[in-house]
Amino acid sequence: VMRRNPFGMDICCRKGSRSPLQELYNPTQVSLSNTAILHQIRRDQVTDTCRANSVSSKKRRVLTPNDLKHLVVDEDHEMIYCYVPKVACTNWKRVMMVLTGRGKYSDPMEIPANEAHVSSNLKTLNQYSIPEINHRLKNYMKFLFVREPFERLVSAYRNKFTQKYNTSFHKRYGTKIVRRQRKNATQEALRKGDDVKFEEFVAYLIDPHTQREEPFNEHWQTVFSLCHPCHIHYDLIGKYETLEEDSNYILQLAGVGNYLKFPTYAKSTRTTDEMTTEFFQNISSEHQTQLYEVYKLDFLMFNYSVPSYLKLE
Protein backbone atom coordinates (compact mmCIF):
# COMPACT_ATOMS: atom_id res chain seq x y z
CA VAL A 1 0.00 0.00 0.00
CA MET A 2 2.77 2.42 0.92
CA ARG A 3 4.47 1.94 -2.40
CA ARG A 4 1.28 2.49 -4.36
CA ASN A 5 0.28 5.51 -2.32
CA PRO A 6 3.16 7.73 -1.19
CA PHE A 7 0.67 9.56 1.00
CA GLY A 8 -0.05 7.01 3.67
CA MET A 9 2.99 7.73 5.74
CA ASP A 10 3.67 11.33 5.00
CA ILE A 11 0.25 12.69 4.97
CA CYS A 12 -1.00 11.42 8.27
CA CYS A 13 2.06 11.84 10.37
CA ARG A 14 3.58 15.23 9.93
CA LYS A 15 3.72 15.84 13.69
CA GLY A 16 7.15 16.87 14.78
CA SER A 17 7.76 18.80 11.59
CA ARG A 18 6.94 22.47 11.21
CA SER A 19 3.30 23.43 10.90
CA PRO A 20 2.02 25.29 7.81
CA LEU A 21 1.56 28.36 10.00
CA GLN A 22 5.24 28.33 11.06
CA GLU A 23 6.34 27.76 7.47
CA LEU A 24 4.22 30.68 6.27
CA TYR A 25 5.42 33.28 8.77
CA ASN A 26 9.02 32.04 9.08
CA PRO A 27 9.76 30.35 5.76
CA THR A 28 12.78 28.04 5.58
CA GLN A 29 12.78 28.14 1.77
CA VAL A 30 13.56 31.30 -0.17
CA SER A 31 11.04 30.30 -2.84
CA LEU A 32 8.30 30.45 -0.23
CA SER A 33 9.28 33.82 1.17
CA ASN A 34 8.56 35.86 -1.99
CA THR A 35 5.04 34.50 -2.14
CA ALA A 36 4.65 35.20 1.57
CA ILE A 37 5.01 38.92 0.83
CA LEU A 38 2.18 38.81 -1.71
CA HIS A 39 -0.10 37.16 0.84
CA GLN A 40 0.86 39.75 3.44
CA ILE A 41 -0.38 42.45 1.04
CA ARG A 42 -3.66 40.57 0.58
CA ARG A 43 -4.09 40.17 4.35
CA ASP A 44 -3.45 43.88 4.88
CA GLN A 45 -6.08 44.74 2.29
CA VAL A 46 -8.68 42.72 4.21
CA THR A 47 -7.67 44.27 7.54
CA ASP A 48 -7.83 47.80 6.13
CA THR A 49 -11.25 47.19 4.54
CA CYS A 50 -12.64 45.75 7.78
CA ARG A 51 -11.36 48.76 9.67
CA ALA A 52 -12.67 51.28 7.14
CA ASN A 53 -16.10 49.63 7.07
CA SER A 54 -16.29 48.78 10.74
CA VAL A 55 -19.89 49.95 10.96
CA SER A 56 -21.20 47.36 8.54
CA SER A 57 -18.62 44.69 9.19
CA LYS A 58 -18.80 44.54 12.99
CA LYS A 59 -22.54 44.46 13.30
CA ARG A 60 -22.36 40.96 14.70
CA ARG A 61 -19.48 40.72 17.10
CA VAL A 62 -19.83 37.12 18.12
CA LEU A 63 -19.75 34.25 15.66
CA THR A 64 -22.08 31.33 16.32
CA PRO A 65 -21.24 27.71 15.43
CA ASN A 66 -23.66 28.08 12.51
CA ASP A 67 -21.32 30.73 11.06
CA LEU A 68 -18.52 28.16 10.92
CA LYS A 69 -20.11 25.50 8.76
CA HIS A 70 -18.04 26.51 5.70
CA LEU A 71 -14.73 26.03 7.52
CA VAL A 72 -13.28 22.61 6.74
CA VAL A 73 -10.73 21.32 9.25
CA ASP A 74 -7.64 19.22 8.47
CA GLU A 75 -6.33 18.00 11.82
CA ASP A 76 -3.26 16.24 10.43
CA HIS A 77 -1.84 19.30 8.72
CA GLU A 78 -3.34 21.90 11.06
CA MET A 79 -5.20 23.77 8.34
CA ILE A 80 -8.66 25.28 8.02
CA TYR A 81 -10.18 25.98 4.61
CA CYS A 82 -13.26 28.16 4.17
CA TYR A 83 -14.96 27.02 0.99
CA VAL A 84 -16.71 29.48 -1.30
CA PRO A 85 -18.96 27.92 -3.97
CA LYS A 86 -17.99 28.77 -7.56
CA VAL A 87 -14.35 29.35 -6.58
CA ALA A 88 -12.82 25.92 -7.30
CA CYS A 89 -14.44 24.59 -4.16
CA THR A 90 -15.15 21.12 -5.59
CA ASN A 91 -11.46 20.57 -6.31
CA TRP A 92 -10.39 22.01 -2.98
CA LYS A 93 -12.81 19.72 -1.16
CA ARG A 94 -11.35 16.80 -3.12
CA VAL A 95 -7.86 17.86 -2.04
CA MET A 96 -9.02 18.15 1.57
CA MET A 97 -10.42 14.63 1.36
CA VAL A 98 -7.01 13.40 0.22
CA LEU A 99 -5.30 15.35 3.04
CA THR A 100 -7.64 14.15 5.76
CA GLY A 101 -8.33 10.67 4.40
CA ARG A 102 -5.18 9.13 5.93
CA GLY A 103 -4.28 7.28 2.76
CA LYS A 104 -7.83 6.41 1.74
CA TYR A 105 -7.56 8.65 -1.36
CA SER A 106 -4.45 9.55 -3.31
CA ASP A 107 -5.71 11.26 -6.46
CA PRO A 108 -8.17 14.12 -5.95
CA MET A 109 -9.60 13.72 -9.44
CA GLU A 110 -10.63 10.14 -8.75
CA ILE A 111 -13.14 11.43 -6.19
CA PRO A 112 -16.49 12.04 -7.90
CA ALA A 113 -17.68 15.64 -7.65
CA ASN A 114 -20.90 14.73 -5.86
CA GLU A 115 -18.92 12.79 -3.25
CA ALA A 116 -16.77 15.86 -2.52
CA HIS A 117 -19.95 17.69 -1.49
CA VAL A 118 -21.21 15.01 0.91
CA SER A 119 -20.94 16.83 4.23
CA SER A 120 -19.94 13.76 6.26
CA ASN A 121 -16.78 13.34 4.14
CA LEU A 122 -15.17 16.42 5.69
CA LYS A 123 -15.18 17.77 9.22
CA THR A 124 -16.23 21.39 9.69
CA LEU A 125 -15.35 23.73 12.53
CA ASN A 126 -18.93 23.99 13.84
CA GLN A 127 -18.69 20.34 14.94
CA TYR A 128 -16.20 21.17 17.70
CA SER A 129 -16.68 22.54 21.22
CA ILE A 130 -16.07 26.26 21.81
CA PRO A 131 -12.60 25.73 23.41
CA GLU A 132 -11.63 23.39 20.53
CA ILE A 133 -12.85 25.94 17.99
CA ASN A 134 -10.81 28.72 19.61
CA HIS A 135 -7.71 26.54 19.80
CA ARG A 136 -7.91 25.72 16.08
CA LEU A 137 -8.64 29.28 15.01
CA LYS A 138 -5.56 30.39 16.90
CA ASN A 139 -3.11 27.64 15.93
CA TYR A 140 -4.13 26.36 12.49
CA MET A 141 -3.35 27.98 9.16
CA LYS A 142 -6.60 29.40 7.76
CA PHE A 143 -7.17 30.02 4.06
CA LEU A 144 -9.88 30.75 1.54
CA PHE A 145 -10.17 31.37 -2.20
CA VAL A 146 -11.92 34.34 -3.77
CA ARG A 147 -12.98 35.39 -7.26
CA GLU A 148 -14.11 38.58 -8.99
CA PRO A 149 -17.59 38.90 -7.41
CA PHE A 150 -19.67 39.43 -10.54
CA GLU A 151 -17.84 36.72 -12.47
CA ARG A 152 -18.63 34.37 -9.59
CA LEU A 153 -22.27 35.52 -9.67
CA VAL A 154 -22.64 34.88 -13.42
CA SER A 155 -20.98 31.50 -12.92
CA ALA A 156 -23.55 30.63 -10.24
CA TYR A 157 -26.41 31.82 -12.43
CA ARG A 158 -25.22 29.80 -15.44
CA ASN A 159 -24.71 26.70 -13.36
CA LYS A 160 -27.92 26.82 -11.34
CA PHE A 161 -30.44 28.35 -13.73
CA THR A 162 -29.40 27.46 -17.27
CA GLN A 163 -28.61 23.77 -16.78
CA LYS A 164 -31.66 21.55 -17.24
CA TYR A 165 -30.50 19.04 -14.61
CA ASN A 166 -30.62 21.54 -11.73
CA THR A 167 -34.31 20.98 -11.11
CA SER A 168 -34.05 21.38 -7.34
CA PHE A 169 -32.75 24.94 -7.82
CA HIS A 170 -35.43 25.67 -10.40
CA LYS A 171 -38.11 24.50 -7.97
CA ARG A 172 -36.72 26.17 -4.86
CA TYR A 173 -35.52 29.50 -6.32
CA GLY A 174 -36.58 29.65 -9.96
CA THR A 175 -40.32 29.46 -9.25
CA LYS A 176 -40.00 32.13 -6.55
CA ILE A 177 -38.01 34.46 -8.85
CA VAL A 178 -40.48 34.04 -11.73
CA ARG A 179 -43.45 34.63 -9.42
CA ARG A 180 -41.94 37.83 -8.05
CA GLN A 181 -40.11 39.33 -10.99
CA ARG A 182 -42.07 38.34 -14.10
CA LYS A 183 -45.29 40.02 -15.13
CA ASN A 184 -47.76 37.73 -16.88
CA ALA A 185 -45.73 34.57 -16.21
CA THR A 186 -47.16 31.43 -17.79
CA GLN A 187 -48.46 28.64 -15.56
CA GLU A 188 -45.66 26.42 -16.82
CA ALA A 189 -42.95 28.96 -15.88
CA LEU A 190 -44.51 29.36 -12.43
CA ARG A 191 -44.53 25.60 -11.95
CA LYS A 192 -41.07 24.77 -13.34
CA GLY A 193 -38.99 27.89 -12.74
CA ASP A 194 -36.45 26.63 -15.27
CA ASP A 195 -36.16 29.68 -17.54
CA VAL A 196 -35.08 32.46 -15.15
CA LYS A 197 -33.45 35.35 -17.00
CA PHE A 198 -30.30 36.92 -15.58
CA GLU A 199 -32.13 40.28 -15.25
CA GLU A 200 -34.77 38.55 -13.10
CA PHE A 201 -32.09 36.91 -10.98
CA VAL A 202 -30.44 40.31 -10.35
CA ALA A 203 -33.81 41.88 -9.51
CA TYR A 204 -34.38 39.07 -7.00
CA LEU A 205 -30.96 39.62 -5.37
CA ILE A 206 -31.45 43.35 -4.84
CA ASP A 207 -35.08 43.02 -3.72
CA PRO A 208 -35.19 44.05 -0.02
CA HIS A 209 -37.81 41.32 0.47
CA THR A 210 -35.22 38.68 -0.49
CA GLN A 211 -32.71 40.03 2.03
CA ARG A 212 -35.27 39.94 4.83
CA GLU A 213 -36.74 36.58 3.98
CA GLU A 214 -33.74 34.27 4.32
CA PRO A 215 -29.97 34.35 3.91
CA PHE A 216 -28.73 34.14 0.32
CA ASN A 217 -28.00 30.67 -0.99
CA GLU A 218 -24.29 29.88 -0.56
CA HIS A 219 -23.72 29.96 -4.33
CA TRP A 220 -24.41 33.70 -4.44
CA GLN A 221 -23.82 34.65 -0.83
CA THR A 222 -20.96 37.13 -0.34
CA VAL A 223 -17.57 35.79 0.74
CA PHE A 224 -17.81 38.33 3.54
CA SER A 225 -20.88 36.52 4.93
CA LEU A 226 -19.70 32.97 4.26
CA CYS A 227 -16.19 33.18 5.72
CA HIS A 228 -16.37 36.19 8.10
CA PRO A 229 -12.95 37.65 7.22
CA CYS A 230 -13.44 40.58 9.62
CA HIS A 231 -13.85 38.17 12.55
CA ILE A 232 -11.53 35.38 11.46
CA HIS A 233 -7.94 36.22 10.57
CA TYR A 234 -7.16 34.35 7.34
CA ASP A 235 -3.47 33.64 6.86
CA LEU A 236 -3.81 33.07 3.13
CA ILE A 237 -6.18 34.49 0.56
CA GLY A 238 -5.96 32.56 -2.67
CA LYS A 239 -7.39 33.96 -5.87
CA TYR A 240 -9.24 32.19 -8.65
CA GLU A 241 -7.13 34.16 -11.13
CA THR A 242 -3.95 32.58 -9.72
CA LEU A 243 -5.56 29.36 -8.57
CA GLU A 244 -2.77 26.96 -9.46
CA GLU A 245 0.11 28.93 -7.93
CA ASP A 246 -1.81 29.81 -4.76
CA SER A 247 -3.08 26.27 -4.27
CA ASN A 248 0.29 24.64 -4.76
CA TYR A 249 1.86 27.20 -2.41
CA ILE A 250 -0.56 26.07 0.31
CA LEU A 251 0.26 22.41 -0.37
CA GLN A 252 3.96 23.26 -0.13
CA LEU A 253 3.42 24.95 3.23
CA ALA A 254 1.57 21.84 4.39
CA GLY A 255 4.62 19.77 3.48
CA VAL A 256 2.82 17.66 0.86
CA GLY A 257 3.78 19.61 -2.26
CA ASN A 258 6.04 16.79 -3.46
CA TYR A 259 3.18 14.32 -3.64
CA LEU A 260 0.11 16.37 -4.18
CA LYS A 261 -0.52 18.96 -6.87
CA PHE A 262 -3.71 20.92 -7.20
CA PRO A 263 -5.77 19.40 -10.03
CA THR A 264 -5.95 21.60 -13.11
CA TYR A 265 -7.92 21.15 -16.23
CA ALA A 266 -8.97 23.65 -18.83
CA LYS A 267 -12.74 23.90 -18.73
CA SER A 268 -14.10 25.39 -21.89
CA THR A 269 -17.37 26.23 -20.13
CA ARG A 270 -15.67 28.46 -17.54
CA THR A 271 -17.25 31.86 -16.96
CA THR A 272 -14.92 34.59 -18.22
CA ASP A 273 -14.74 38.33 -17.91
CA GLU A 274 -16.05 38.77 -21.49
CA MET A 275 -19.02 36.56 -20.72
CA THR A 276 -19.77 38.50 -17.53
CA THR A 277 -19.66 41.76 -19.50
CA GLU A 278 -22.27 40.36 -21.87
CA PHE A 279 -24.60 39.29 -19.07
CA PHE A 280 -24.50 42.77 -17.54
CA GLN A 281 -25.37 44.57 -20.79
CA ASN A 282 -29.10 44.25 -20.19
CA ILE A 283 -29.00 45.28 -16.54
CA SER A 284 -30.12 48.85 -15.90
CA SER A 285 -27.60 51.20 -14.31
CA GLU A 286 -29.93 51.48 -11.30
CA HIS A 287 -29.89 47.73 -10.76
CA GLN A 288 -26.15 47.55 -11.40
CA THR A 289 -25.58 50.15 -8.70
CA GLN A 290 -27.77 48.31 -6.20
CA LEU A 291 -26.11 45.00 -6.99
CA TYR A 292 -22.65 46.51 -6.58
CA GLU A 293 -23.71 47.70 -3.12
CA VAL A 294 -24.60 44.12 -2.15
CA TYR A 295 -21.16 42.81 -3.15
CA LYS A 296 -19.16 45.97 -2.46
CA LEU A 297 -17.26 44.61 0.55
CA ASP A 298 -16.10 41.60 -1.48
CA PHE A 299 -14.81 43.94 -4.20
CA LEU A 300 -12.96 46.15 -1.72
CA MET A 301 -11.69 43.47 0.62
CA PHE A 302 -10.13 41.30 -2.06
CA ASN A 303 -8.90 44.17 -4.20
CA TYR A 304 -11.13 43.82 -7.25
CA SER A 305 -11.68 47.07 -9.09
CA VAL A 306 -15.13 48.20 -10.23
CA PRO A 307 -15.69 46.44 -13.58
CA SER A 308 -15.29 48.72 -16.59
CA TYR A 309 -18.62 47.54 -18.06
CA LEU A 310 -20.62 48.82 -15.05
CA LYS A 311 -22.70 51.97 -15.47
CA LEU A 312 -22.97 53.00 -11.82
CA GLU A 313 -25.32 55.80 -10.84
Side-chain angles (χ1 to χ4, degrees):
V1 171
M2 280 306 168
R3 214 170 33 245
R4 192 171 52 81
N5 171 15
F7 269 122
M9 211 158 41
D10 238 87
I11 232 165
C12 79
C13 318
R14 60 164 290 133
K15 291 290 165 270
S17 57
R18 286 159 60 85
S19 75
L21 208 52
Q22 291 169 321
E23 198 53 68
L24 171 66
Y25 291 106
N26 300 294
T28 47
Q29 298 174 42
V30 179
S31 61
L32 294 182
S33 58
N34 299 336
T35 317
I37 296 164
L38 165 74
H39 286 278
Q40 179 63 56
I41 293 167
R42 291 180 186 173
R43 282 195 296 277
D44 291 345
Q45 177 76 21
V46 171
T47 308
D48 295 346
T49 308
C50 290
R51 206 172 284 137
N53 296 275
S54 57
V55 185
S56 49
S57 60
K58 290 284 188 216
K59 237 181 260 171
R60 296 178 43 209
R61 291 218 173 275
V62 183
L63 293 180
T64 64
N66 195 42
D67 292 319
L68 306 174
K69 58 179 188 288
H70 272 248
L71 279 77
V72 175
V73 182
D74 171 3
E75 293 288 351
D76 296 323
H77 303 87
E78 301 190 348
M79 298 198 300
I80 293 173
Y81 159 57
C82 183
Y83 69 89
V84 177
K86 307 313 299 170
V87 192
C89 94
T90 305
N91 277 353
W92 255 110
K93 283 182 175 180
R94 285 170 162 145
V95 168
M96 292 301 275
M97 281 172 73
V98 173
L99 289 171
T100 58
R102 306 206 165 193
K104 191 172 163 193
Y105 312 97
S106 60
D107 178 1
M109 292 318 278
E110 281 178 4
I111 301 171
N114 58 344
E115 203 177 313
H117 296 294
V118 173
S119 54
S120 58
N121 282 334
L122 290 166
K123 195 158 187 195
T124 48
L125 197 57
N126 59 330
Q127 294 169 275
Y128 292 83
S129 70
I130 304 287
E132 288 173 329
I133 289 172
N134 289 333
H135 170 78
R136 281 157 185 74
L137 284 175
K138 189 174 163 207
N139 297 293
Y140 286 16
M141 184 175 82
K142 299 165 294 297
F143 67 95
L144 77 162
F145 274 79
V146 298
R147 182 178 186 177
E148 202 280 339
F150 284 169
E151 196 180 287
R152 178 178 164 239
L153 192 64
V154 169
S155 176
Y157 166 77
R158 290 178 65 219
N159 179 248
K160 299 304 171 195
F161 295 107
T162 68
Q163 304 290 341
K164 289 294 170 217
Y165 61 79
N166 263 322
T167 47
S168 63
F169 263 82
H170 303 156
K171 281 265 184 292
R172 167 119 201 245
Y173 296 100
T175 53
K176 190 186 293 182
I177 294 171
V178 169
R179 189 172 69 244
R180 256 192 232 163
Q181 308 300 338
R182 189 179 302 177
K183 292 186 176 75
N184 312 320
T186 64
Q187 283 306 307
E188 188 184 21
L190 289 165
R191 194 180 76 250
K192 285 187 169 170
D194 64 351
D195 64 345
V196 170
K197 297 184 184 70
F198 185 64
E199 297 89 302
E200 294 170 330
F201 178 51
V202 168
Y204 162 78
L205 294 175
I206 59 179
D207 184 347
H209 188 88
T210 305
Q211 304 267 2
R212 283 196 303 270
E213 183 180 58
E214 57 181 353
F216 275 5
N217 176 278
E218 60 175 19
H219 291 84
W220 48 86
Q221 181 60 281
T222 60
V223 177
F224 171 74
S225 303
L226 289 175
C227 296
H228 315 285
C230 289
H231 296 79
I232 293 170
H233 170 81
Y234 286 93
D235 302 289
L236 284 164
I237 293 145
K239 294 204 159 190
Y240 192 73
E241 296 77 16
T242 48
L243 177 63
E244 220 173 315
E245 302 94 290
D246 292 344
S247 298
N248 288 323
Y249 174 59
I250 291 167
L251 295 175
Q252 256 183 299
L253 292 170
V256 298
N258 296 342
Y259 310 105
L260 186 56
K261 291 277 176 276
F262 191 78
T264 54
Y265 53 99
K267 276 185 82 174
S268 53
T269 57
R270 192 175 99 68
T271 301
T272 60
D273 185 47
E274 293 75 47
M275 214 180 272
T276 305
T277 305
E278 234 164 87
F279 272 91
F280 271 86
Q281 270 174 346
N282 300 327
I283 307 296
S284 70
S285 58
E286 185 194 352
H287 279 189
Q288 287 186 5
T289 305
Q290 289 173 281
L291 191 69
Y292 179 75
E293 281 303 314
V294 174
Y295 292 93
K296 186 177 176 179
L297 277 177
D298 280 7
F299 275 101
L300 296 174
M301 203 168 270
F302 307 117
N303 207 17
Y304 287 107
S305 49
V306 176
S308 56
Y309 55 77
L310 282 195
K311 309 179 286 286
L312 298 182
E313 291 192 330

